Amino acid sequence: MIQLAPISGVFNRERALQATYPMRMLIVKEGTGFLCMNSGDLKLVDKRIFFIPEEGLVRLEGQIKSGYWLNFSSMLYAEFLLQHLDPLAKNLFLNLSYRDLKPQESVKTYSLLDQLKKEIDAKKDLRFLAQYLSLFLGFTAGLDGYLAALTLDELQQVLRFRAILEQYYRVERGIQFYADGMGMSTGKLNKFLDRVLGKSLTVLIKDRIMREAEELLLHSDFSVDQIAGILGFEQTSKFLTSFRRHKGVSVLQFSRLV
């Protein structure tokens, strides 16, 4: 589902970079030359990160002293799209594009990549890797501006919270559970979430539940009763009320709209 490897050496156009999965990124730490595709050539520049569309072979001409070659599945990318609904996110891999990282951004980017490599090697579950990748893409693409102001430790804390939330949002609602998982007091966790994500734990859990409800209503054959049970509601009526309050329409109206 995801591959990440350091890349270095002298390259020419004769050999294409191999990728198992369709979504591809080249992160250049130090390098000169060109990234070459049918759509055109782009310069290899220090601290430049490339977002590469699915179609076409990737060839390099020049030298990369230090960098990373990342490719991942559309399934992992889907989590990023669910968390980022703006057109910039949807178009991120539509055409060959790049972003030059500022010095502080580059340090965090390389540290995040090194940690991601460790998580991949440790065979972390796909839900965790999807959250990590979503955070990494949001940060490197500049779509999550609030992340740029965070320290590396705070970025890791955001990732840890997202991973815990992703695993337990259906069954755990209490702040003490998440505070224990984060190694914080409940007060410290509340302050952290409010400062970093701008939302309380209750809102974050509800947002995640309702996002999953939408996915199940749109892309599964489960009945409404079954979906309510899957999402941890003891009564279907409570699910229906919560959905209407969150979306502003009933489940039936939502199904008809889409």
Side-chain angles (χ1 to χ4, degrees):
M1 292 296 181
I2 184 169
Q3 292 180 334
L4 173 63
I7 184 172
S8 62
V10 177
F11 300 85
N12 57 52
R13 293 175 187 249
E14 295 179 4
R15 292 184 59 189
L17 295 180
Q18 299 300 306
T20 302
Y21 304 108
M23 319 306 294
R24 300 167 292 178
M25 295 176 67
L26 176 66
I27 299 94
V28 180
K29 195 172 183 179
E30 293 181 79
T32 57
F34 295 91
L35 184 152
C36 313
M37 293 186 66
N38 293 336
S39 58
D41 298 350
L42 289 175
K43 282 187 177 182
L44 300 177
V45 176
D46 294 353
K47 301 179 178 63
R48 178 166 287 183
I49 184 166
F50 293 91
F51 304 93
I52 303 171
E54 297 182 42
E55 294 79 15
L57 298 176
V58 180
R59 304 178 189 275
L60 299 178
E61 184 175 280
Q63 181 180 16
I64 295 181
K65 293 183 179 180
S66 178
Y68 302 84
W69 178 237
L70 172 65
N71 63 98
F72 48 92
S73 67
S74 299
M75 188 180 82
L76 287 180
Y77 182 52
E79 178 61 25
F80 169 73
L81 293 179
L82 288 172
Q83 293 186 24
H84 300 79
L85 301 178
D86 54 283
L88 289 176
K90 294 180 180 179
N91 296 333
L92 188 58
F93 289 91
L94 190 62
N95 299 299
L96 177 60
S97 62
Y98 66 87
R99 182 168 181 262
D100 291 326
L101 300 172
K102 298 176 182 177
Q104 288 187 338
E105 286 180 321
S106 65
V107 171
K108 294 176 186 177
T109 295
Y110 307 140
S111 294
L112 288 172
L113 283 167
D114 289 338
Q115 185 62 38
L116 176 57
K117 183 67 167 63
K118 293 178 182 178
E119 305 295 0
I120 295 171
D121 292 343
K123 302 186 184 303
K124 285 292 183 72
D125 66 63
L126 288 180
R127 287 179 298 183
F128 178 86
L129 293 177
Q131 292 301 312
Y132 203 122
L133 185 64
S134 179
L135 179 141
F136 178 74
L137 289 175
F139 176 73
T140 54
L143 295 173
D144 293 333
Y146 71 93
L147 294 177
L150 302 183
T151 65
L152 185 60
D153 182 61
E154 288 172 330
L155 283 170
Q156 294 290 357
Q157 287 181 316
V158 171
L159 173 64
R160 179 173 178 80
F161 173 75
R162 285 187 180 181
I164 295 172
L165 180 67
E166 188 65 20
Q167 187 171 359
Y168 294 104
Y169 72 91
R170 296 182 180 184
V171 294
E172 294 289 349
R173 304 288 199 270
I175 189 169
Q176 187 65 57
F177 174 85
Y178 292 93
D180 290 343
M182 291 290 291
M184 298 179 178
S185 67
T186 57
K188 185 175 180 181
L189 178 59
N190 266 328
K191 290 179 181 178
F192 176 75
L193 295 177
D194 183 62
R195 177 173 62 85
V196 174
L197 300 178
K199 295 181 179 180
S200 67
L201 175 65
T202 301
V203 172
L204 288 166
I205 292 175
K206 186 175 293 185
D207 285 349
R208 184 62 186 93
I209 289 172
M210 289 300 116
R211 178 155 65 82
E212 185 69 7
E214 292 177 23
E215 285 296 302
L216 292 173
L217 288 168
L218 291 174
H219 304 297
S220 80
D221 295 324
F222 292 120
S223 68
V224 173
D225 288 340
Q226 288 173 317
I227 291 173
I230 289 170
L231 296 178
F233 289 90
E234 294 180 359
Q235 299 176 353
T236 301
S237 60
K238 291 184 178 180
F239 166 63
L240 295 174
T241 299
S242 184
F243 189 90
R244 178 186 283 275
R245 286 176 179 173
H246 186 84
K247 293 293 296 181
V249 295
S250 68
V251 167
L252 180 60
Q253 290 171 322
F254 175 79
S255 300
R256 287 174 176 174
L257 287 173
V258 294

